[in-house]
Amino acid sequence: MTSEPTTDHPTDATPSDRLLSGARGAEVWRADVPGAGTVTAHVLDPVADLDVLHEWVNRPHAGFWGLAGLSREDLSDTYAFVDSLPTHDAYLVRWDGEPVVLVQLYHPEDDPVSTAYDVQPGDLGLHFFKGGDGPAERHGVAPWAVIGPAVLAFAFARPATRRLVGEPDTRNRSAVTRMAAFGFEAAGTVRFESPQGPKEAVLAFCARERAEELVAAALGTGGFAAEG
């Protein structure tokens, strides 16, 4: 797999050294996967992507995101607020143009999870929600076999990111299992106040070196691309 950022770095007064930023809907990263097409990441557009987003977060298994039941307007406003933050970004990941995953990346030091562990330089928080399988059947591959390594490669696109931090709800067993499959190592259970109320989560970490090994083994790349 060859992958690279596809946008300029943010130019505000305090740019993030860990997030790929751009205009709403902009493609900020892409990866060509041998034999399995192209995966791209786009800054979530809370207006243009609203139909996809609203359908995904109202599925029965999406309850842990805390967005089910929001009106379309409230959901759009929620992600417009995320878009305004220099420390948090939401992205829609597409596979051959088909939306497959909602990814949120954030600075843990600027998030409630910071009260639950000792944040280290280069830490980057990760939330993800798979909404579709994309062209997996057409390519003859399992969806997560491409999506999982691609999400890892995207999250580590900026060299300043040294470690990913996951904190899925302890009751969300599918997310906990998926984190382990991604290469995250659990570091115990933590409790903190989230925007949706008290949260008990499995704290997990994935170091850059571990992710690079997994991406190389899964998708045949020699490592993460350097910044353009």
Side-chain angles (χ1 to χ4, degrees):
M1 177 185 75
T2 58
S3 63
E4 60 182 4
T6 57
T7 188
D8 293 334
H9 298 169
T11 57
D12 54 38
T14 55
S16 170
D17 60 355
R18 286 160 280 171
L19 298 172
L20 289 173
S21 299
R24 293 180 177 183
E27 179 188 305
V28 292
W29 177 90
R30 67 167 43 224
D32 295 318
V33 183
T38 300
V39 181
T40 56
H42 305 252
V43 176
L44 184 74
D45 187 324
V47 176
D49 297 327
L50 185 58
D51 286 344
V52 171
L53 190 63
H54 190 260
E55 195 274 324
W56 282 4
V57 302
N58 279 284
R59 292 178 181 177
H61 66 287
F64 292 106
W65 277 70
L67 300 173
L70 291 183
S71 69
R72 290 172 57 86
E73 181 179 3
D74 287 343
L75 183 62
S76 183
D77 287 347
T78 295
Y79 278 98
F81 173 70
V82 172
D83 183 54
S84 74
L85 300 174
T87 58
H88 293 59
D89 270 322
Y91 307 89
L92 192 62
V93 175
R94 293 182 170 91
W95 184 358
D96 286 354
E98 297 182 41
V100 288
V101 181
L102 172 65
V103 171
Q104 291 182 201
L105 299 175
Y106 61 93
H107 293 181
E109 68 270 26
D110 297 300
D111 192 84
V113 73
S114 64
T115 64
Y117 88 103
D118 184 17
V119 179
Q120 299 298 305
D123 278 359
L124 184 65
L126 167 68
H127 296 298
F128 61 90
F129 178 85
K130 185 169 81 67
D133 290 341
E137 184 176 356
R138 185 173 75 248
H139 288 300
V141 296
W144 278 117
V146 171
I147 294 171
V151 168
L152 281 182
F154 165 56
F156 279 106
R158 299 293 294 272
T161 301
R162 306 309 306 171
R163 184 173 69 163
L164 295 183
V165 181
E167 29 99 349
D169 192 294
T170 55
R171 298 167 297 169
N172 190 354
R173 300 315 303 173
S174 62
V176 172
T177 299
R178 183 54 54 190
M179 281 284 187
F182 270 25
F184 282 71
E185 295 183 358
T189 301
V190 295
R191 296 172 179 82
F192 58 94
E193 290 292 327
S194 77
Q196 289 76 42
K199 180 176 181 178
E200 182 175 277
V202 175
L203 185 67
F205 302 104
C206 183
R208 186 179 189 89
E209 294 75 16
R210 171 62 173 157
E212 192 161 12
E213 291 175 357
L214 292 171
V215 171
L219 301 180
T221 178
F224 300 139
E227 286 188 283

